[in-house]
Amino acid sequence: MDLILCHTTADFDALGAAVGLTRLLPGSKIVLTGGSHPPVRDFLALHRDEYPLIERRSVNPEKIRSLTVVDTQQRDRLGKASEWLDLPNLREIIVYDHHLGQESDILATRSHISSVGATTTLIVEQLQQQQISLTPAEATVMALGIHVDTGSLTFDQSKPRDALALAWLMQQGASLSVISTYRDPGLSLQLQQLLTEALENLEYLCLHGYTVAWVTLKTDGFVPGLSSLASELVELTEIDAILLANEYSLGESDSRLTVIGRSQIPKTNLNLLFQLLGGGGHSQAASLNLRKVNSQAILKQLLEGVKAQIPHPPTARDLMSSPVRTILPETTIAEAQRILLRYGNSGLSIVDAQKQLVGIISRRDIDIALHHGFSHAPVKGYMTVNLKTITPDTTLPEIEALMVTYDIGRLPVLENGQLVGIVSRTDVLRELHQEREGEKGRGRERETRRGRESNLSLPQLENKLAPQLWQLLTKASAEAEKRGWHLYLVGGAVRDLLLADAAGSLMIKDIDLVVDGFHKSADVGAGVELAKALQQLYPAARLEIHGAFQTAALLWHKDPELDSLWVDIATARTEFYPYPAANPEVEASSIRQDLYRRDFTINAIALRLTTPRAGELLDFFGGLIDLQARQIRVLHANSFIEDPTRIYRGVRFAVRFGFQIEPQTEEFIRYAINSGVYDRTAQENSRTPALQTRLKTELKYILEAPYWKLALQLLDNLGALQCIHPTLKLDAELLRQLRLLERCLRRFDPQPTLIHWEMRLETLIAHLATQYRAKVAKNLQLPEDSIARLKNLAQVQTEVMTLLPSLQRPSQVVQLLRHYDLPILILIAVQSPREIRHQIWEYFTVWANVQPLLNGNDLKKLGYKPGPQYRQILDDVLAATLDGVIKDNRETEEFLAKHYPK
């Protein structure tokens, strides 16, 4: 076990550095050795599950391999965890700190101490050197560490290195709104005095779950830095908006009024309110300066304006995941852990036989129970029974307050006593992020931390799509709304929309729609029901239903308006792979979990089609950032182990869009391939669809695309051609054969009559040793004629290469080669020496096109009696023609008279 230790009363710099180190030291865990600063404590109340934190009491000292200490060099700042520094089994002790001139009493094997504003900066520099990317959650807490310890780069100890580190963290997706919420820049002495006065005189009102405060401060003159004071008041009082007025005079007859406004309430726009009075700013921050006015009247007018703008906040019904994964009180700890592993949950709800909620158990509870050897104990001994619950109508601010106050990671949603959903910290954080980031930049051109705007307006969406496609989506969303469901456009269609130009008529040929609405009576058949309703509106579409995967498809073929369109409609679901390369087992779930099961971040974005939030983009995994960065990033570390076809999809997307495969994703690919898991799986399981039918499908997509050569080269570079067969490599000889194949296909099959992608695949397989070819072809479930061709290729090639060099006359070549079809001769040609290939080439281009100078009717006219000899006569005439013995009709008749006298 590798541990990272934060000092007691951890601040953001210690936490940020520790989080960064978990990326430098994969598998390591963070231990807070004793408490944290209040802002850090509040931050972790919401964000704890984002980071690999473990309790000190759950650590088995005998299993500790290394310790890394951050932001201190003193043992006494590690509390009881300092005892671990003396463990005899330790391999390494590393120290990272930015406090120079201190005498360290930690016997470190390595130290990284440098004069920078924050320890986190040192970690960022190493991450950059190793080209390791971060998640937005990791980047945010690390940026907080630098902001807090450098006073947002205003403290004397701040260095250019800190600024560069912050810039990189912003590129990685650090949330400026979260940083603004938790950083503490400090106040001047005058502002501190005014802070005390303001806290004593603040007035409040609550509306729709939001708190608005206002106060008027009277001073002798102008006070600089009131904006910092306003921000400090918001942080200290946990209010959502404030109007801070300052009355002062610059002479006996010159009264002045300054008003600072701050708002964290979504959809409020202080800029509009303040502009009406001659001020201005941004939607979340604005100010005004007036002379000789009634300050109370101005403040009242602004307050009424803020109240009018406050929206009804999201409720638990909008946030919750449903249906809820539940277990019984008698379920063992080991089984609960297996369920958590299977579904990726951070906790489980526990219900009795009557389906009544009786408790909740978290991942931390399960980890501690397993640590103490209670894997067979029932969960009822460890579950939390003093539960805080909410209703579907509980507002987001109320939910957030409960989580922070009671340090709760998940809140069950009860309706009429029944468990209908659960709201987790992650759900709250995502909603808060969408609101804060979506509103923060409104009114000015900018790109958010997600890389692009977080919503598409319906007019924007309509302008990007072909009219007939827009009409189809409109009808689909209307049918979903009738049933009280949410409908989302997901996956590649959303990706292509975001990559498309602002204007145009994009006609997407493959559309995925997901229905999510279990809390509104939808069941596992929702997707099928919606597909049937749409078919009533589009009777020309063919309906296919796939019950095992809870999906339906509508297919149009050469339709006058929709052409060959494929629309998949599924109920939101999650999936689990029983073993690598298997077909997944699917279960009904929510849109968030549905997106979580997908392959790459750029394909895990959803666009809501139904009101009231039509046009909202759901991007839980940084897909928009990756689109902007032009990179392919996988969602899960085990993604390629579970499904090797994702390797081929990732390569296809990378080459198609000109993107790069993100470095860690490439590491995951290479690890999966080199682990040997695919060979073991194939030996242990009779069915491995991801190495059979699904792999064939991906090969088809690649080999029929214009970029197929680049894709094959990238697959070979990654070692991924091993998924076809362990010995397959794109060596120089195979590249030569593929080039020759393209020449043959262009010359011999220009129309085409052959399936060219299958010929490319057969050429790849034909490059394998003889004994593997038919087996690989069968495994990929190629057509029977392809399997037979590859099975017999070696024998036919031997016959041709043995006989062909000895044949002197064209007629002999034709007589030999006409017994073989075009595909097998092409395969032989690309594998043969130049002389053999030249003869086959001449056969196709010249000799195979030569016809006899007469036919059966001509023979009849010449007096030959119809019969079996016709065939022999015509063959001999053709041979004589090929060999130049006869050149015209006269010579042909002489030939017949000589060899076939009447």
Side-chain angles (χ1 to χ4, degrees), residues 327-361:
I327 57 176
L328 295 171
E330 293 75 26
T331 305
T332 65
I333 291 291
E335 176 64 11
Q337 185 198 36
R338 188 191 68 80
I339 294 172
L340 284 181
L341 176 64
R342 173 167 181 158
Y343 297 107
N345 295 344
S346 59
L348 291 169
S349 298
I350 302 168
V351 298
D352 59 18
Q354 288 73 43
K355 303 296 183 182
Q356 296 294 306
L357 181 69
V358 295
I360 281 182
I361 189 166

Side-chain angles (χ1 to χ4, degrees), residues 455-483:
N455 291 289
L456 280 174
S457 68
L458 293 187
Q460 285 177 316
L461 183 59
E462 184 176 0
N463 288 338
K464 285 193 172 189
L465 288 173
Q468 62 271 32
L469 198 55
W470 167 251
Q471 186 179 37
L472 171 67
L473 295 179
T474 301
K475 290 180 179 179
S477 60
E479 291 296 323
E481 286 179 7
K482 284 181 186 178
R483 294 159 174 79

Side-chain angles (χ1 to χ4, degrees), residues 660-690:
Q660 296 294 318
I661 296 178
E662 181 256 346
Q664 189 170 52
T665 297
E666 182 175 332
E667 289 180 16
F668 290 148
I669 291 174
R670 294 187 185 280
Y671 176 80
I673 292 169
N674 295 331
S675 68
V677 64
Y678 305 143
D679 289 338
R680 292 196 301 273
T681 297
Q683 293 171 8
E684 296 169 1
N685 301 278
S686 59
R687 293 188 70 252
T688 53

